[in-house]
Structures are given as C-alpha cells and as structure tokens.
Amino acid sequence: MTTFYPGPSKVYPQVSDYLQDAFRTGVLSWNHRSPECMAMMQQTIQIFKQKLYIPEDYQVFFVSSATEVWEIIAQSLVKEKSVHFYNGAFGKKWLEYTQKLIPESAGISFDVEETIQSVIQNQSLADADLIAITHNETSNGTKVDFQRSDFPPHCLLAVDATSSLGGVVLDWVEADIWFASVQKCLGLPAGLGVMICSPKAMKTAKKIGDRKYYNSLLFIEENFKKNQTHYTPNVLGIYLLGRVMKAVEPIDSIDKVTKKRAKNWYKFFMKEVVEESDLQVLVQNPAVRSDTVITVKGSENDIALLLQKIKNKGFTLGKGYGEWKTNSFRIANFPAITDFEIAQLMGALE
Ligand SMILES: *Cc1c(COP(=O)(O)O)cnc(C)c1O
C-alpha cells in the first residue's frame, strides 16, 4: 500500500535505518537528563532551525502534539481573549478547546474561497490579545497567506502550521508562535509536536506569569535552557527528527518541489478527471488553495467508489474530514512522497 493520507502520512524510508540505529546505540533507553540525550536534543534543535531558516532568536520546544500546543497557548499566552480565524474543522477545534479554558475567546469563521484579508476588514480586534490562524486547514485543503501588518500590532500571532511546516517556506518573523506535529509534512511517526516562539511571545509569557501546569510555557522554557524537557519526552521521536532534518534539503528547495507538485495536482484534477466525472477541486480560488493537501469534491457515491477502486490498486487516499467527510477526498502533497509514487497514483486515477 502506498499512502497519500494527510496525516499520519508516509514516513521517510530512511526512518527504517534510523530506528535500527536508535536501538543499536541505546538511544531508546537513554535517560532524558543524561549528557548524551541533552547533546542530542540540542543538535536536533540546531539542525531543525538551520534547515528551516528559523531566526536565531526564536526558541524551539518539543511537546507531545499540536493539540497540546493549543492548550499551552490558552494557558500561558492569552491574557484575556484570543480571536480565532477559521474555515474548517481543525481551526474550529482549536477555538473550542481554547474556549473551555478561556470562555471570552471568540471565533470568526470564513468561507473556504475567502482570503483572510477580506475577512479581517470588518472586524474589530481591539480587545484581542492573541490572534489564532490555521496556516493550512488540513480538513479542506486551504491555506492562509498573511502578514503581521494585517493585524493590530498589539496582538500576538499564533499559527497552526501542522500540515505545512516542513513542506513549504514559512515566514517566521510574521508571527510569534508557530507549531506542528511531526506526522504530516515532516514525514515522521506520530507522537511529537514542535512549538516555535518569538522573543515577543516569551516576553508576553513572562508578563502573564502562568506557572500552574506541568506544561506552562515558562516551565518548559526553564527546562529547555538546560537542554531538558518538562517531562520524560519522546526521545526516539526527537532523535528521528534530528536524523531526518540532517538528511533533507533546506526548506527553500523543498518548497519549490512542493509547489510544483501542487500545481501539477490541480492541473491534473482540472483536466484529466473532471472531464469524465463530477469530481472537482474543492477550492476554486487559486490564492487560497493549499500546496500540501489537495482536496477534491464530488458526489458521495463517486467518492466512495473512487476510494475503493484506488484502494484495490494499492493506494490509500485521505477520506474527507469534518463537514466534507463523505463528499471529498484528500491527497497529501508531503515531501516524503516521491515523484514515482505520484506518477503511479495519477496513472491509477486516470
Ligand atoms: C493534524 C492536525 C492537528 C492535530 O495534530 P495532533 O498531532 O493530533 O495533535 C492540528 N491542526 C492541524 C491543522 C492538523 O492538520
């Protein structure tokens, strides 16, 4: 089976060897406060920042998942109210989890065809101290292009880049908090999340002073200063991330490949398939179409039939998600997938 599922997704094939190495060299049993482990963690952060061009003064923290970061932000970085812009299931879930901790937090939903700039125009964000954006909405295959200057300067900007980080260039300085889980664009097994914070975010955390939880951001930072973590971490996950980051091209090269492949996928679904069926690219506005998750809509029947046929040919595609559960399918356009596999899937779809 070749998987094009948009998370958990295909892992880099080298992971097989890295797992053997981890077992052989004792990484799996390392104490997380031992010198070896602390050095490995420091090296992983270094290569991660280097390959992704993360600014020197932004800090990288390892946590368990993107979902955990939603909670850390609500606990440690929102003073009174966050405002969440969302157009799909993941953005909405982030809002809902936040509201359980901060009932004042509010959501602004928008249509999948809309740009965020057109949505911001009519909103008053004066009382928001943090803006939440889902950079790549994995449930419907949309992306958000934004700049800091689109929002009031007093707001912190937090960006869920779970299904784009590692696949496309991200303009780090345009936001204060970025995060992802590793089982999407980073091509690794699930069980590790990455949180990246600007100096402004850390300053705000100090001002707010939350220290109530095991994963309060200030407590996390204190541990990372010593190259340690706030709990026994997924040492294997961190090790694998370090090995994969060492092996991959810098993000600007990966970005070019991702965008070229995305263009080909959209062209493919507009020409080849659509002519003979009612299948259609879900997002019509090219400005908001995702580069990393390709979503195609159609009748419930056509979609179910297609997924079954493609499965029989040896491919797993992503089912629809949330509102689009039964009338769409999704294809991961993640870097661990090869040109050969894409050509094979295109052949099968034809
Ligand atoms: C997958 C995903 C998440 C959740 O990731 P977990 O690892 O399950 O916490 C959050 N946001 C987006 C956009 C996602 O694609």
Side-chain angles (χ1 to χ4, degrees), residues 108-300:
I108 295 172
S109 68
F110 57 101
D111 189 82
V112 290
E113 301 292 343
E114 272 182 296
T115 62
I116 198 157
Q117 286 75 17
S118 67
V119 185
I120 297 165
Q121 269 176 12
N122 317 315
Q123 307 294 334
S124 160
L125 298 170
D127 63 347
D129 47 78
L130 182 140
I131 302 288
I133 299 167
T134 303
H135 177 253
N136 194 77
E137 178 50 75
T138 321
S139 68
N140 57 29
T142 55
K143 70 172 175 190
V144 170
D145 274 327
F146 67 92
Q147 290 185 310
R148 214 179 251 287
S149 55
D150 293 327
F151 302 92
H154 72 273
C155 297
L156 278 185
L157 290 188
V159 184
D160 181 342
T162 301
S163 55
S164 52
L165 195 156
V168 294
V169 164
L170 298 173
D171 207 350
W172 305 107
V173 295
E174 298 299 331
D176 299 295
I177 303 114
W178 297 86
F179 58 93
S181 296
V182 299
Q183 75 272 18
K184 313 249 168 116
C185 271
L186 291 165
L188 285 160
L192 183 69
V194 188
M195 180 179 189
I196 301 155
C197 292
S198 74
K200 187 179 168 187
M202 298 315 297
K203 224 168 108 184
T204 305
K206 283 185 188 92
K207 250 190 250 162
I208 292 173
D210 159 53
R211 290 179 175 280
K212 287 203 292 281
Y213 309 97
Y214 83 96
N215 58 358
S216 290
L217 187 55
L218 294 178
F219 187 46
I220 295 179
E221 188 197 23
E222 273 164 29
N223 276 277
F224 272 76
K225 272 197 181 132
K226 300 179 282 184
N227 294 310
Q228 294 184 4
T229 46
H230 47 303
Y231 60 93
T232 314
N234 182 349
V235 173
L236 175 62
I238 297 169
Y239 170 81
L240 293 177
L241 176 64
R243 294 290 304 264
V244 160
M245 291 317 291
K246 204 163 171 191
V248 296
E249 295 288 313
I251 193 63
D252 49 346
S253 308
I254 293 182
D255 179 272
K256 283 197 191 87
V257 175
T258 301
K259 286 178 180 160
K260 193 172 125 230
R261 288 174 171 179
K263 223 165 133 187
N264 284 339
W265 269 124
Y266 288 121
K267 218 163 74 192
F268 175 83
F269 281 113
M270 289 195 204
K271 265 208 211 112
E272 309 282 342
V273 182
V274 173
E275 276 170 12
E276 289 152 50
S277 71
D278 74 339
L279 292 175
Q280 209 180 356
V281 170
L282 189 142
V283 184
Q284 300 304 307
N285 180 359
V288 297
R289 254 182 223 150
S290 166
D291 297 308
T292 51
V293 180
I294 315 296
T295 308
V296 177
K297 68 176 174 181
S299 72
E300 215 166 292

Side-chain angles (χ1 to χ4, degrees), residues 331-343:
I331 295 177
N333 183 31
F334 296 165
I337 295 166
T338 63
D339 285 331
F340 178 71
E341 288 168 330
I342 294 172

